Amino acid sequence: MAKEFRRITFNKMEIRGAVENALASSEKKIPPGEVVSVKSKRESNKFFYELGIFDYAHHKQGNLTLAEDATLDALITHSMKSGIPLPRASRKEVRDIDGLLCLDIFLE
């Protein structure tokens, strides 16, 4: 049986917006500045995404580390708020591709 695969790639401005909205109600805040890098890392069998954020006004580098599930939730929520249709009955995963975050959708 054929399977469908979709990938939604978020640019760095969209990544920042998605993370800001996801963290709006938490105590964890995103540092000021622009997202300049995205790196995936693994610690103790858990995956994380580290955002490199550079504040051009103060010439300061900051980092923000997010768990894989929090990152996935942020991208899904951002997609829904942006009007991007996402199938409910699908497997969704987040990936770091070429320094950007991608939402992979698998319809089986």
Side-chain angles (χ1 to χ4, degrees), residues 31-60:
E34 294 181 27
V35 175
V36 293
S37 66
V38 176
K39 296 178 187 173
S40 56
K41 62 182 186 176
R42 183 177 174 179
E43 294 177 10
S44 303
N45 291 332
K46 293 184 181 182
F47 290 97
F48 296 90
Y49 292 94
E50 183 178 87
L51 305 180
I53 301 169
F54 190 77
D55 184 356
Y56 289 98
H58 297 100
H59 300 286
K60 221 174 159 181

Side-chain angles (χ1 to χ4, degrees), residues 87-99:
R88 289 181 192 234
S90 63
R91 182 170 46 98
K92 298 169 186 77
E93 297 178 3
V94 64
R95 300 262 195 264
D96 164 24
I97 307 287
D98 293 332

Side-chain angles (χ1 to χ4, degrees), residues 5-16 18 38 75 78-79 82 84 86 93-105:
F5 165 75
R6 289 175 48 195
R7 174 172 285 156
I8 301 170
T9 304
F10 296 84
N11 66 35
K12 291 179 178 169
M13 287 181 14
E14 291 170 323
I15 293 169
R16 179 169 179 88
V38 176
L75 295 180
H78 180 76
S79 297
S82 299
I84 299 170
L86 300 176
E93 297 178 3
V94 64
R95 300 262 195 264
D96 164 24
I97 307 287
D98 293 332
L100 298 173
L101 289 177
C102 300
L103 179 60
D104 287 352
I105 302 165

